[in-house]
Amino acid sequence: MTSPFPRPDQRLQIIVSDADPFARGADRGRQLHETLPGTIEAYDRLFRLGGIDETVVRDDAERLLEAIGAHRPALRAQIEGIAAGAGAELWRIAALNGRTEILSRSVAVPPGECSTIVRSIRDEQGRAHTLGVQTWDWHMEIAPYWHTIVSRGGVHDYAGLTECGILGKIGVNSAGVALHFNILGHRADRPEGIPIHVLAALVLEEATSVAHAVELVREAPVTSSGSFALFDETGDAVLLDISPEGVFEAPAITDGTWLRTNHFLTAEPAAEEKTWLYQPDSGQRWDFLRDRLTAGAAPADAAQLRAALVTGDGEPPVTCVPDLALPMGQRWASLATVVLDPAARRADILDGTPAENTTRPHIELAL
């Protein structure tokens, strides 16, 4: 399978290192100076396609920024720094960080989203080595506007990928905590609390263990939905349903294997799920991957985990290739495939779909 959508010849790789949050953000903003205008314009178009007026976007962004500042002033300072370093309006950068929450107002219906597997592999001595893999599926038009990030100077360093202007998404930190990220949809989602992408950055910067990461999530004022698959070098792992209704732990599919697509896996938030957003696609992908993972030998290394996400014609689109005949807002693509290894403090980021493992570049990040 090939993925014909255009991507940059060379992926932007950003490294920032400063103990001062504003300075760290400003350094990132300077490195994003050329790409941020295109990112902002692409999201302006997505907001408009969703029927969200610019005045509403600005009001939402400013309210979200206040919530960020109230919960973690240092994260607000980083966002302010990005805006200053890039020469962008602050509310624009706040809107990028809150894009999930703002798009919860959208009248458009997305065709699909990400798939994640976390697998705890035990050696002959019984020691656990936990790895995770996911596709990051999003609008094809954002392909030029994501980058790798190595951020140093916070409580912990972290490495991974995110979109231009957005603090965090998928990654691993220097304490050996890894985070995979999937979006979910709840009827009570609204742009008021700390944005889910900012919460991911908070966890990557601060968490010292899986248990600590869960504490950080539970104490955050969240009014939107998502899933964090959290795992660390000890073999501890947890899969969270995060929603305005609360934070719930989802079960593994087998002992040592966790699977996530884009629907709630626990009863309380599932009762108020926006099923029209991701179903039946999410359920079909989850069922397909569950059957694949339980039918034969479980994946035993990063290559096998990545291969488990490869799908083709007639199968649910875990490997997501856009239909270029469709208009913007309906061209869904696996923009990246990410393997996280918390014990090695390493992220392997394939700049493409899982089916492009041998034909597209890999970016190796280590702390």
Side-chain angles (χ1 to χ4, degrees):
M1 178 184 290
T2 60
S3 186
F5 62 99
R7 288 158 290 192
D9 292 334
Q10 185 158 347
R11 180 62 57 188
L12 180 61
Q13 300 184 49
I14 288 179
I15 300 174
V16 293
S17 180
D18 201 298
D20 178 77
F22 181 88
R24 195 157 68 248
D27 189 5
R28 191 192 295 206
R30 285 188 289 271
Q31 296 180 62
L32 290 169
H33 184 267
E34 292 185 4
T35 53
L36 262 176
T39 314
I40 291 168
E41 192 276 335
Y43 273 104
D44 279 350
R45 292 173 65 194
L46 289 171
F47 293 145
R48 288 195 298 271
L49 284 170
I52 310 169
D53 182 81
E54 183 178 293
T55 302
V56 174
V57 172
R58 182 166 187 161
D59 288 347
D60 286 348
E62 290 174 346
R63 183 170 53 255
L64 291 166
L65 190 62
E66 290 299 313
I68 296 165
H71 189 64
R72 281 296 191 280
L75 294 176
R76 175 174 177 143
Q78 286 188 58
I79 293 170
E80 291 171 340
I82 291 172
E89 293 179 272
L90 178 57
W91 76 267
R92 292 285 193 181
I93 307 305
L96 293 177
N97 279 274
R99 57 89 158 162
T100 299
E101 289 67 30
I102 297 169
L103 285 170
S104 72
R105 297 181 179 276
S106 177
V107 298
V109 179
E113 258 273 5
C114 314
S115 304
T116 297
I117 302 167
V118 173
R119 172 81 182 140
S120 185
I121 302 156
R122 294 195 176 271
D123 63 19
E124 294 179 354
Q125 288 73 43
R127 294 171 299 195
H129 183 198
T130 305
L131 299 173
V133 64
Q134 81 165 97
T135 57
W136 173 43
D137 301 340
W138 194 228
H139 298 281
M140 179 193 80
E141 290 79 9
I142 305 300
Y145 303 123
W146 66 266
H147 61 84
T148 64
I149 178 72
V150 175
S151 177
R152 304 184 187 277
V155 177
H156 301 297
D157 302 339
Y158 68 89
L161 71 77
T162 190
E163 296 169 68
C164 296
I166 297 179
L167 290 185
K169 189 186 294 289
I170 303 160
V172 61
N173 75 12
S174 56
V177 177
L179 184 156
H180 284 295
F181 183 126
N182 293 57
I183 291 298
L184 308 174
H186 191 278
R187 293 173 190 268
D189 288 343
R190 58 196 185 276
E192 293 179 9
I194 185 168
I196 199 80
H197 281 86
V198 177
L199 182 58
L202 187 160
V203 169
L204 288 170
E205 284 203 359
E206 298 187 18
T208 58
S209 65
V210 165
H212 186 212
V214 173
E215 289 178 15
L216 293 170
V217 173
R218 289 190 183 280
E219 70 183 22
V222 174
T223 64
S224 55
S225 300
S227 171
F228 291 170
L230 299 160
F231 51 108
D232 62 29
E233 62 179 340
T234 70
D236 196 10
V238 67
L239 184 62
L240 298 180
D241 277 352
I242 303 169
S243 76
E245 193 171 343
V247 178
F248 306 88
E249 184 175 339
I253 58 167
T254 66
D255 184 25
T257 304
W258 293 261
L259 173 62
R260 167 68 71 186
T261 52
N262 297 98
H263 59 281
F264 290 106
L265 298 173
T266 56
E268 293 90 337
E272 294 297 323
E273 185 166 45
K274 292 180 177 179
T275 54
W276 61 89
L277 282 180
Y278 302 119
Q279 295 289 21
D281 172 83
S282 180
Q284 291 168 348
R285 284 183 287 121
W286 196 90
D287 289 345
F288 176 85
L289 289 171
R290 177 203 55 198
D291 292 347
R292 174 177 278 184
L293 291 166
T294 57
D301 57 28
Q304 291 177 16
L305 278 170
R306 195 183 292 111
L309 298 179
V310 176
T311 55
D313 294 342
E315 296 175 324
V318 176
T319 298
C320 195
V321 179
D323 182 346
L324 300 184
L326 294 175
M328 182 177 185
Q330 299 180 40
R331 293 181 289 199
W332 219 248
S334 294
L335 300 183
T337 308
V338 185
V339 173
L340 299 178
D341 182 345
R345 275 70 165 170
R346 184 171 63 238
D348 178 320
I349 300 169
L350 167 60
D351 190 350
T353 76
E356 297 177 303
N357 182 49
T358 61
T359 59
R360 289 286 300 169
H362 286 252
I363 304 164
E364 296 276 355
L365 303 176
L367 297 170

